[in-house]
Each structure stands twice: as C-alpha cells, then as structure tokens.
Amino acid sequence: MPQTITEKILAAHAGRETVAPGELINVRIDMALANDITAPIAIDLFEKSRVESVFDPEKIALVPDHFVPNKDIRSAVQVQAMRTFARKYHIKHFFELGEMGIEHVLLPEKGLVLPGDVVIGADSHTCTYGALGSFATGVGSTDIAAAMITGEAWFRVPESIKFIYHGRLGKWVSGKDLILYTIGDIGVDGATYRAMEFTGDVIKDLTMAGRMTMANMAIEAGAKSGIIAPDEVTLDYIKPRAKRSFESYASDPDAAYADVRTYDVSNIEPQVAFPFLPENTRGISAVGTVPIDQAVIGSCTNGRIEDLRVAASVLKDRAIDKNVRLIIVPATPAVYRQAMAEGLLEIFLAAKGIVSPPTCGPCLGGFMGVLGPGERAVSTTNRNFVGRMGHTTSEVYLANPAVAAASAILGRIGSPEEL
Amino acid sequence: MTLEGRVWKFGDNIDTDVIIPAPYLVTTDMVELGKHCMEGVDALFAEKVSPGDIIVAGTNFGCGSSREHAPMALKGAGISCVIAEGFARIFFRNAFNMGLAIFESPGIVQGIQEGDQVSVDQDTGEIIDHTNGKRFLANPIPPFMQELIEVGGLMSHVMSKRRT
Ligand code: SF4
C-alpha cells in the first residue's frame, strides 16, 4: 500500500508495516516536551500516579521559556516545580536560564529532534519539527504525563493534504509569507485533524529557518502536523547536530491525499494577517494606512538568526519612528551570540530598538512588551487573536521580519521597498 | 447521564487565548482559572455563569494553544459541557483527557438561542432545547474516547493498563 511520509513514520513507531488514516494507534515517542505553563500540570499528574521513574530521562525536554526570566513569583513557582522534577528524575534536557531558549528553536538547534522521529509537546507549535521530516504534534499536559510513564501516545492517523509550491519568491517574500498565504487560502480550520505536507521546488530552495517557520504555523490552519521530507538542506542542518541515528522517510509518489493544492507563488507579495485571525491575510500593497505603536521581531516562528539578519538588513543605518517601540527577541542563546558576533545587535540598538533575552514574553502577552488598550503591533509571531499580546482592545498584525522592521521605521505597516 | 443548563452562545473560532488569557496561566487551580473564563470575549462571563450552564459555539472551538487550562477554566467556571459545530483538535483531545464533556453537533448554532434551557443525554447524544422544543443529535464519540471517559480520563486509563 502506498503511504505518505506521515503514515510511514507513524507505522514505524507503532510497530506496523502500514497504517491508514482514521485508525487509532499507539506509538512509541522519541521526545516529549513541556514548558513552564504546561509542565506543572503534567508534573502534578505524574507525581499523583506514584510511578517511581520516567520511561527515559533522555527523551523528555523541559523548557521554561514562556514567562522566563521569571516575570513574577507565581511564574517562579512554576519553574521551581520543573527544576525539582528534573533533578528528582534525572531529566537530561532541562534548560536553566542561560541555556534556555524558545523551545521550538532550541530543540532542533540542539539536535534533540531528528528526521523520522515522533515528537509530542505540550505546546501547540510542536508541529515546527515537521520541517525536519519528523511527525511532531501538540498535545495537552495530560498526554505528556502519560507519555512520561509509558513512552507512548495514542493518535488517530491523520489524512494528509499536499501543498505544492512552484515559482520564484520575490525579494522580501519568505517562508512566513508562504504559510500566511496558505492559511489565507484554506482558513484557520482548513486543515483540522490533518497533516499538511509541504512540497515543490520553492520548498527545496527554502532554508531550514524558512521551513521551520512554515511547519510552525500548520496549527494555525488547525492541522495536527506539518511536514517536509528531508533533503540535502535538512541533512546539512541535522548531521552536525545529531547524536543518535535517524531515518529519512519520503511519501510514495502514488500515496493518497485528502486534497492536493498547487500554488504559483512568483507573484505573491509579503503577507500581513489582520486582527483577529491568521487567515485575515492581505498582500502588503493592500494594507492601507495602519499606524503602529510597537513592532516585535522574534518567537518560535521568526526568532532565528536568518530572521534577525533580514531585520538588520532593513534597519541598518536607519532609526525607527519616534512613535514606535521596537522589541527584538533572539530565540536562543546561540542566536543571540551569533547576532552579537555579526554586529546585528549594534544595528538594532543604533536604530533605537531594544534586544530582549531569549523568551516567549511578548508573543503571548506575558511580559517584555505587553500592549495597552487600543495599541497596535506588527509582529513576526504566529497568532493575532483577541488580547494575544495584551489588552483585549489591542491589535496584532502578523508579518515577516523585513516588513516588521520596515514598519518600525515607517511608523505604519509597510514594505522595505518604501524606504 | 443527562447534563442540563442555560445556554451561553459564542461564534466561530473561539480560541484558547480568549477562553483563558495567557496572563492567568501562572496557576493550575481550576477554580481560580474559572474566574477568568472567557474573559477575552466577555469580561463579566465568570460572574454571570451558573453551575451547569452550557456553551454553544460555532466551528473550530478551542483553536490555538495546547493549554489544558482552557478546559480547566471552563470546568472551573461551572460549565457542564460545550456543544459546538466543530472543535480544534488539541482542545478536543484535552477535553477528553481532562473529562470535560464536549459534543459536536453540526447545525446547532442555528437551532439554539442564548438563554435557552438545554439538556444533553451523554449516552445517546440527544440534545433537547426545552425553550423551543427542538431536538438535535451529537456526532457519536469514537469508541476509544468513550473508553477514556468511562475510566475517568487518560491517566486512569494508563494506570489501569499498568496494573493489568
Ligand atoms: S514564541 Fe509564542 S508561539 Fe512560540 S512557543 Fe513561545 S508563546 Fe508559543
């Protein structure tokens, strides 16, 4: 039976030859992830179960990134619970401040998630790792508690939708724009319960950063996972990082899909998603005049070194508008140091932006740049729901790093072409 | 078992950020989370809601983050069940794992008004609007998930398997 890459990975982890969409299966997992919001619930449940050890202390990652550096006493208590748990059960991959970064940038960077893996995370953007050719999906804390005991998780095998991207991307058009454009096309529930498989010559030419941005936002179309089959670009990224063996899978040419969508992307512009849903997308030329109070460049979507380089190329020798606050968040310590070595931090500071330590912070309205009533932000993050970055009357416009940087300079949402 | 209560109606794409805004995720206490339930759409919701009340919503209910605090906040606020045209997948999964009753019933938004008195038979999936007399049927729950509910959620399921 011909199979998709997703079906092959799930079958291999269920100890089966093949699996079919709709089947409920139990799979072995290669990594279980939780953060400072979701881990405390999982830890509580684990402790209540009175099981004496976790299934494998090397296959659990605990990343305190959402409200860290601790924004208040209660968030400190949540991280304490993680730290105590990590020590007690010898969890190898607990990341203390200084090594901590945004989970979905950190785990691939550290080689903790590899092609062919099954990864579950108590965070919806766990789907990011599909960019490496793994099956990765967001679950709840209870699933993580159960997985820490059994090393397994249950799934309904998803149907897949194949997305084929042809053409050549314009100068300021990136993975972020491809995924926003796609969500604009299919809607925020356009792929619910399904796997989004990204293919085509445009994907082949994308960097790992661009691919991770795309897989990251599969959840924003309701998908269970996003996936890109490993190629040389993937292996170049993985090989220096992997400390265990892995397997690359690819879909059979005659595999069955619930839908196949083909896009010619040569003419798409940088995309902006208007409040309050990621599907409210427009090309940058159709945005009109939208003044902004804040620009945020960072997050698990666009906080990688490639993103900071693009932002710096726009901000170099320029200053931001005096009515705008610019917050740049390198996603991990490694990204931060690389940005420092390349002189990018100097460019950001000279432009009158600020550089935050690695954290989720502003992305979910936690701290480090919360919006007040009626304020507007352009942001490279992935969600623009009501109140996502602060007050319920504030507004978030999603865009790529080049547009966010240009908008900070212009004082309104705009393109680098306008500078 | 039958659940019965007054209906609060919401639209499509009710996301977890409005069900329980991120600033309140610094606790895992259900009652405390319940005090801020639905604050993103209706700041006074937690004050107005009574134990047993039912939420009726459109498509893609619970989209967004994987926070289990969302079903917890709904339970903490006293909501007995959520009936929607459709659910986002992580929320769907979390609700079963946590033991919040949810029912998928296409067409429900048209047929039920806010404030109506509604009952749901958990075994048959029959939904009755006692205010206008209309009846609806919820989509059947997959057998494995039925099993999860019967044993009291995923953790009980895991532990019972370990003991056998
Ligand atoms: S950066 Fe934002 S979207 Fe990504 S994990 Fe953190 S809070 Fe979630």
Side-chain angles (χ1 to χ4, degrees), chain A residues 392-414:
Chain A
T392 51
T393 59
S394 64
E395 294 181 352
V396 179
Y397 295 73
L398 305 175
N400 73 28
V403 168
S407 305
I409 297 163
L410 294 163
R412 59 173 171 79
I413 298 174

Side-chain angles (χ1 to χ4, degrees), chain A residues 150-232:
Chain A
T150 63
E152 292 180 349
W154 64 270
F155 289 112
R156 206 182 124 267
V157 178
E159 295 176 305
S160 295
I161 308 178
K162 185 170 172 170
F163 296 85
I164 311 170
Y165 300 87
H166 291 304
R168 275 188 79 95
L169 293 183
K171 176 147 189 231
W172 300 107
V173 182
S174 65
K176 179 64 162 287
D177 305 294
L178 293 179
I179 191 65
L180 284 175
Y181 185 83
T182 305
I183 297 165
D185 178 45
I186 66 172
V188 291
D189 57 357
T192 301
Y193 300 116
R194 291 174 168 170
M196 297 173 84
E197 187 173 325
F198 304 113
T199 69
D201 39 288
V202 176
I203 304 299
K204 284 243 164 291
D205 287 344
L206 273 188
T207 59
M208 280 318 291
R211 295 178 187 193
M212 286 195 250
T213 304
M214 289 189 74
N216 175 269
M217 290 190 71
I219 180 68
E220 261 42 83
K224 178 173 244 166
S225 56
I227 196 161
I228 298 172
D231 59 11
E232 288 95 87

Side-chain angles (χ1 to χ4, degrees), chain B residues 84-152:
Chain B
E85 303 271 334
F87 292 92
R89 71 156 278 274
I90 306 179
F91 183 89
F92 187 80
R93 186 177 180 107
N94 285 347
F96 280 93
N97 285 346
M98 294 245 36
L100 171 72
I102 61 173
F103 302 92
E104 220 165 46
S105 183
I108 197 82
V109 165
Q110 288 292 325
I112 290 181
Q113 297 315 314
E114 178 145 312
D116 287 3
Q117 194 68 20
V118 164
S119 67
V120 187
D121 184 324
Q122 273 192 293
D123 301 318
T124 62
E126 190 181 32
I127 302 165
I128 305 170
D129 185 327
H130 299 280
T131 309
N132 64 19
K134 287 187 191 163
R135 284 162 190 265
F136 311 85
L137 212 57
N139 289 345
I141 295 166
F144 173 71
M145 310 199 77
Q146 191 75 53
E147 194 183 318
L148 280 187
I149 296 177
E150 278 159 20
V151 300

Side-chain angles (χ1 to χ4, degrees), chain A residues 102-115 128-134 206-213 229-244 246 248 300 303-306 309 331-332 334-335:
Chain A
I102 298 174
E103 50 200 282
H104 308 309
V105 181
L106 191 67
L107 264 50
E109 187 185 283
K110 296 280 182 198
L112 296 179
V113 284
L114 300 175
T128 308
Y129 319 132
L132 311 175
S134 68
L206 273 188
T207 59
M208 280 318 291
R211 295 178 187 193
M212 286 195 250
T213 304
D231 59 11
E232 288 95 87
V233 176
T234 322
L235 296 180
D236 285 349
Y237 180 87
I238 290 297
K239 279 202 179 129
R241 298 179 156 85
K243 288 174 210 77
R244 56 184 165 92
F246 59 90
S248 296
C300 59
R304 298 181 179 81
I305 188 67
E306 292 85 348
R309 284 182 192 134
T332 65
V335 173

